[in-house]
Amino acid sequence: KSEKKKSVISIISQKKKDKNLIILNDFEEEIKKTKEFASILKKFCSSNFLLIADQNSRKNIFRSSSNIPNIKVTDFNHFSAYDLIKFKKLILTVSSVKELEKRLS
């Protein structure tokens, strides 16, 4: 495995150990209102998230998440180890977990 893969795996493992890793179901329907998406995030008691979503979920939440400060919504192709460190909580969708497992193994 490359050093980059090892570092990403290590950081995700630490997030899990620190209880800062959250896995959500895929977003099947579009969430149009920022307020609606913010209420979903509020359940996790933090305002500092990196959300790695599958392509379809990202499309469904992109607009509603764009006005929320301290959150980055991306997919499994566009995040870095720096992003994992910068944000306190890591949220993954079920489909993005499967894709990450394929890419990191």
Side-chain angles (χ1 to χ4, degrees), residues 50-88:
L50 172 63
L51 194 153
I52 301 175
D54 56 283
Q55 294 286 353
N56 197 40
S57 292
R58 183 173 182 254
K59 187 180 77 182
N60 286 336
I61 60 173
F62 191 74
R63 289 182 67 204
S64 64
S65 66
S66 62
N67 290 329
I68 301 174
N70 299 318
I71 181 171
K72 179 177 180 177
V73 177
T74 187
D75 59 47
F76 39 79
N77 292 319
H78 299 100
F79 75 95
S80 65
Y82 173 74
D83 291 330
L84 292 172
I85 294 168
K86 179 181 174 187
F87 293 94
K88 180 176 176 156

Side-chain angles (χ1 to χ4, degrees), residues 2 6 8 12-14 22 25-27 30 33 37-38 40 44 64 68 77-78 84-85 88 93:
S2 72
K6 286 179 184 176
V8 167
I12 291 174
S13 296
Q14 188 62 46
I22 300 159
N25 288 329
D26 296 348
F27 293 92
E30 184 176 8
K33 303 266 185 204
F37 189 65
I40 293 169
F44 304 110
S64 64
I68 301 174
N77 292 319
H78 299 100
L84 292 172
I85 294 168
K88 180 176 176 156
T93 60

Side-chain angles (χ1 to χ4, degrees), residues 3-17:
E3 290 299 314
K4 182 179 177 183
K5 284 183 180 179
K6 286 179 184 176
S7 65
V8 167
I9 291 168
S10 174
I11 296 166
I12 291 174
S13 296
Q14 188 62 46
K15 294 270 186 204
K16 183 178 186 291
K17 193 186 298 183

